[in-house]
Amino acid sequence: MRNTAAQRVPPVESSCADALAEDLGWGLGTVFRAYVTAAHQAVADLPGGPRGYQILSSAAQGSVASQLALAQHLGVDRTVMTYLLDDLEAAGLIQRVAHPTDRRARRIVATARGSELLATLDDRLRDAEANLLAPLDPDARKAFRAQVRLLATRIDAPRPP
């Protein structure tokens, strides 16, 4: 059978997404921007937004050795960290307590109110993440999270010569 003009399928116009589909930077950037938007909405009423959430979450887990260590871990300037902590403390969500072995250092601890709010924020963020990852089946979501965690925890690992 001969292919006539009437039988031909019109060419599909490619979009930017099609042209960049293999570009890792474009893909990561697109997913990141969508996540940032969803995370900001989920924690909008928390002082400091997503950074405030990370601080509160770390404080609630008891993993904060000191204010300086937390700033370094989160990649937040020390001065900015001070303002964030001031706002969270003023809201009654965290408190600074003397470090047991270093008088100069302060540990960051979640208050009862902070822990309660954190539970609500965790639910909101889980919903936002589920919405973002909805195109993936449950196994792919789990694998995606594991791969991102691996990259995030190894990104600064020393490279062999």
Side-chain angles (χ1 to χ4, degrees), residues 22-102:
E22 297 298 318
D23 185 302
L24 178 64
W26 173 82
L28 289 173
T30 300
V31 172
F32 177 73
R33 286 187 299 276
Y35 177 80
V36 166
T37 298
H40 274 280
Q41 291 171 353
V43 299
D45 51 347
L46 179 69
R51 281 184 173 167
Y53 171 81
Q54 292 174 338
I55 292 167
L56 182 58
S57 181
S58 296
Q61 294 172 20
S63 60
V64 181
S66 71
Q67 184 172 321
L68 178 60
L70 180 61
Q72 291 170 340
H73 176 70
L74 296 179
V76 175
D77 179 79
R78 291 183 331 209
T79 305
V80 173
M81 177 61 76
T82 299
Y83 291 122
L84 288 167
L85 292 172
D86 288 346
D87 292 345
L88 290 167
E89 192 169 37
L93 303 174
I94 60 116
Q95 57 185 173
R96 297 171 173 120
V97 297
H99 193 281
T101 60
D102 184 353

Side-chain angles (χ1 to χ4, degrees), residues 1 12 16 29 33 36 40-42 45 59 69 74 86 92 97 100 102 114 118-119 122 129 131 133 141 146 159-160:
M1 183 170 168
V12 176
C16 274
R33 286 187 299 276
V36 166
H40 274 280
Q41 291 171 353
D45 51 347
L74 296 179
D86 288 346
V97 297
D102 184 353
L118 182 62
D122 284 342
E129 290 171 5
N131 186 48
L133 298 177
R141 286 181 207 166
R159 308 274 190 258

